[in-house]
Each structure stands twice: as C-alpha cells, then as structure tokens.
Amino acid sequence: NITIRGRGVLSGLCWDWCKGPGRMLYAKGDDITIRDVTLVGSWQWTVVLDSCRRAHVTGVNILNGHVLNDDAIDVCRSKDVLIDNCFIRAQDDCVAIKYSCDGIRVENCALWADVANNIRIGFECEGAPKAFRNVRFRNIDILHQSIHKPRIDRPWSENAVKIEAGNGMVFSDFVFDTFRFDAPEAGDHLASLKTVCLKYKINNHKEPGHLRNVTFRNIRLPDDLPEGSEDVLCWACDKDHPIGAWTIEKKDPRIQVRHLTSPNH
C-alpha cells in the first residue's frame, strides 16, 4: 500500500552508465502505485516492478536516451499490473516483461525506442514451470522504432513487439490491440515472434520455449506506406517448438510475414 506520486522530476543525468545507486525507481511488494512522476536520463533500468502484485503505473513520463541499458519500465516476476497513460522514450526497450509474469496490461501509452524495441517479452526467462501469460497491450502509439535502417540480420532490435520464448517456458495469451504507427520506415518490424534457445551471457537456456495464442488487431499504418513495408518475423527453433496459434485480424496487405531460420540470436 505504497504510493510514489508527483508532480516532480527525478533526473539521472549526473550519473554515467551503470554508475548510479541501484535502479532509478524500484518497487517490490503488493498494491504499489507510481503516478504523475517524470523521470529523465536514467543510468540503467528506470522503473522496475519486481515481484509485485496489483501494481499501477499511471501518468508517468520517461525521457531517456542518456545511456545504453536504460529500459524504461521493466516488469519482473509480477502479477496483475496496469501501466496506463504514460509517455515513454528510451534508448533501450520501452516496456520489457521479464523472468515470468501473469496478468500485465499496458494501455493508452506512447512509446519511442531509439535503438532497441518498443515492447519486449522474454529474453530473461526464469524457466519452466514458470510462465508468461495474459499480457494485453491496447491503444498504443508507436512514435519511433529505431535510428538504424531495419535489417533482417539484426533481429534483436527495431521491433514494435518482440517475444522470445525460451528456457522451456510457456508463453501464451497475448493480445496487441489498436496500435498506431507514426512514421515507420519500409522494412520495419511490427513483430518478431521466436521460440529460442538463447546463448548470451547469463541467459543460457537449456531448451527453447513454447509460444501460442498471440493476436494482433487494429494495426494502423500511415496511408502513404507502400505494400510490404512492415514485417512480422517468425523464428521457430525447431519442429517441436513452433509458433503456435497466432493471428493478425484483418491483416493490412502492407504487412508481410516472413518465416526465418537460425533463430538463436
């Protein structure tokens, strides 16, 4: 039953990369509210919800881009979280859902990623029998995806939505509803859906995960964008770990689906 509220500004601009005191704003517990605060120039992860139940982040403005690894909002091992009415800019991921989570909702937010992903789910995976379930993003403005020219051979970044199902975990029941794209470039990635056995520093998985029941609906692209401009990349690690039961409702013909190999990035 703790509330951190504005109006006020927290600035990390005086700290170099990873040199600040812990995370910029860290919460662990039940019934946590963070509202109407502005955070500027984090030195590392910015707002971290760790092992929270019934957390609410609302009216928060995050203006990052100061350093690498400045994830804006990281939801870790949490259940029943609502993030709404936030403006989020980061050099790294804007909203990242990590380790294992259930019942996460993000609504009415504007997202701007300089280099990484607007939304990233997975990568840090605790392992089975833990799971990622019941994640909903609704009414989201994607203002910017990356400063790089999009490339297929750099699949870790530049996605509006990136899901990496690893470490034997089940990823299920994801809905991405009403996404508006402000200025996508031809070849940008709407989504990257992966069952992956990651081999990267501390994230060394013994087996891929399982991904199913993913729905995209009401994806709105600018009128002047040509056909084939926005990609959905599907990376199934092997035949035993397919991308299961996913759909784009009323798919815009300018969105193309690519099935790719070599998913272990």
Side-chain angles (χ1 to χ4, degrees), residues 40-55:
V40 179
S42 180
W43 55 84
Q44 201 177 11
W45 293 5
T46 309
V47 175
V48 181
L49 304 176
D50 182 8
S51 304
C52 290
R53 293 185 301 173
R54 300 177 302 278

Side-chain angles (χ1 to χ4, degrees), residues 81-96:
V81 171
L82 172 60
I83 300 166
D84 65 355
N85 299 303
C86 295
F87 176 89
I88 299 169
R89 179 177 180 174
Q91 187 170 154
D92 212 311
D93 304 323
C94 293
V95 178

Side-chain angles (χ1 to χ4, degrees), residues 7-79:
R7 287 174 263 174
V9 177
L10 300 176
S11 175
L13 291 172
C14 59
W15 298 99
D16 292 333
W17 177 50
C18 295
K19 299 296 186 181
R23 309 303 188 192
M24 193 168 185
L25 199 163
Y26 176 90
K28 184 173 184 176
D30 299 342
D31 302 295
I32 304 293
T33 298
I34 302 169
R35 65 180 309 136
D36 303 329
V37 178
T38 296
L39 301 103
V40 179
S42 180
W43 55 84
Q44 201 177 11
W45 293 5
T46 309
V47 175
V48 181
L49 304 176
D50 182 8
S51 304
C52 290
R53 293 185 301 173
R54 300 177 302 278
H56 187 194
V57 178
T58 184
V60 170
N61 297 310
I62 298 175
L63 309 173
N64 278 347
H66 174 48
V67 297
L68 296 171
N69 304 116
D70 65 345
D71 294 12
I73 300 179
D74 287 312
V75 184
C76 309
R77 306 182 188 91
S78 294
K79 184 175 182 179

Side-chain angles (χ1 to χ4, degrees), residues 123-137:
F123 189 68
E124 284 93 345
C125 299
E126 278 189 307
K130 298 290 182 64
F132 289 84
R133 294 192 176 96
N134 304 314
V135 175
R136 303 285 188 272
F137 283 78

